[in-house]
Amino acid sequence: MDRRAELAEALAHVEARVAAACAAAGRARDEVRLLAVTKTFPASDAALLAELGMTDLAENKDQEAASKTREVAGLLSADRARALRWHMVGRLQRNKARSVARWADEVQSVDSERLATALATATRSALDVGDRERPLDVLVQVSLDADPGRGGCPVGDLPALAEIITQMGGLLHLRGLMAVAPLGVDPGRAFERLAVAAERLRADYPEADRLSAGMSGDLEQAVAHGSTCVRVGTALLGGRGLASF
Ligand SMILES: *Cc1c(COP(=O)(O)O)cnc(C)c1O
């Protein structure tokens, strides 16, 4: 099977899973966005997914994404390239903010005031020189376990960070929360806690209505608990091997 057919088949399968999860949760299919996580896979795969109709692609490392996003645009028609939205979902060092602000439409992994400040500064420069046209959509990554090494803002620190982000008016646009289910626990339980945090945030900031949760292995549980964005890599593109998470 050629790669296009392989990706088309995987996409149909993932689409069916998302549709079934929405139906089981009594939710409309269009409440949940499907994000293809293309990390470690070549630009040609990302372009094929775009040609198959996907508009939302995600990467987790600036170094890889900065060149890949340009390459993908070059492989697509102008219309398709313009329709693409790139999401940054990985841990981000402040010194990468300038680069990320040039290619990302949305950063889902904001977890500190320092990072938010760096992204706001970088967004202002990118807007000034015409490298981007819109403010940066951001999600706060929430830590659902006690391990700070994996990134994410502790649930208790969310209100303060949300407040800081909304004060960076015109540069950062707070759109919601993101989380990765901790290893070794029932993802349903983790997503339940996340849903409570998301509800609280939405009460204070009605525009922060996105909830990015669920990956290849746990998208059903995430959709059951209100996810509006599932981030799928392996189930669409295949395995990445060991050293690439
Ligand atoms: C890699 C990655 C995913 C996709 O994971 P799969 O299990 O391959 O679907 C989702 N979210 C984040 C933050 C990732 O780094």
Side-chain angles (χ1 to χ4, degrees):
M1 211 187 324
D2 76 354
R3 188 59 171 156
R4 178 187 296 265
E6 204 170 85
L7 290 175
E9 189 176 293
L11 177 56
H13 185 67
V14 170
E15 261 301 334
R17 280 179 64 189
V18 176
C22 287
R27 303 178 60 197
R29 169 64 188 89
D30 67 5
E31 289 176 37
V32 179
R33 187 186 297 235
L34 172 60
L35 218 77
V37 184
T38 50
K39 66 186 182 197
T40 79
F41 288 92
S44 55
D45 279 358
L48 284 171
L49 286 171
E51 284 169 2
L52 290 167
M54 294 222 58
T55 53
D56 289 272
L57 305 180
E59 288 284 325
N60 76 332
K61 289 198 176 72
D62 171 67
Q63 204 181 350
E64 180 181 346
S67 54
K68 196 189 290 184
T69 51
R70 275 196 302 272
E71 213 182 316
V72 172
L75 292 169
L76 294 172
S77 70
D79 280 353
R80 283 236 190 262
R82 212 171 308 115
L84 273 190
R85 288 175 46 85
W86 285 99
H87 305 254
M88 171 61 174
V89 299
R91 287 207 86 179
L92 180 53
Q93 307 291 328
R94 278 178 298 152
N95 63 7
K96 304 288 190 194
R98 281 185 85 82
S99 175
V100 169
R102 291 195 204 107
W103 62 263
D105 295 287
E106 175 173 280
V107 175
Q108 298 202 347
S109 45
V110 176
D111 62 359
S112 71
E113 173 178 355
R114 281 157 31 122
L115 178 56
T117 305
L119 285 169
T121 306
T123 298
R124 174 176 291 134
S125 314
L127 288 168
D128 283 350
V129 301
D131 277 345
R132 65 179 301 120
E133 290 167 2
R134 297 179 10 86
L136 187 64
D137 282 344
V138 303
L139 305 187
V140 172
Q141 183 177 352
V142 182
S143 169
L144 296 174
D145 57 16
D147 180 1
R150 299 183 65 222
C153 170
V155 173
D157 296 349
L158 269 179
L161 182 53
E163 174 67 20
I164 284 161
I165 291 170
T166 53
Q167 283 166 4
M168 295 173 180
L171 296 171
L172 304 187
H173 192 175
L174 178 66
R175 295 310 314 263
L177 300 181
M178 183 270 259
V180 179
L183 295 171
V185 306
D186 169 16
R189 298 279 294 275
F191 293 144
E192 215 173 286
R193 292 181 49 218
L194 179 65
V196 172
E199 183 113 0
R200 287 204 185 118
L201 183 75
R202 204 158 34 220
D204 290 337
Y205 307 99
E207 287 188 352
D209 58 357
R210 297 184 189 159
L211 180 56
S212 174
M215 321 200 304
S216 293
D218 56 18
L219 70 87
E220 284 82 4
Q221 289 99 321
V223 169
H225 289 95
S227 172
T228 67
C229 172
V230 293
R231 310 177 306 268
V232 179
T234 312
L236 280 175
L237 291 137
R240 291 182 295 270
L242 280 180
S244 57
F245 191 82

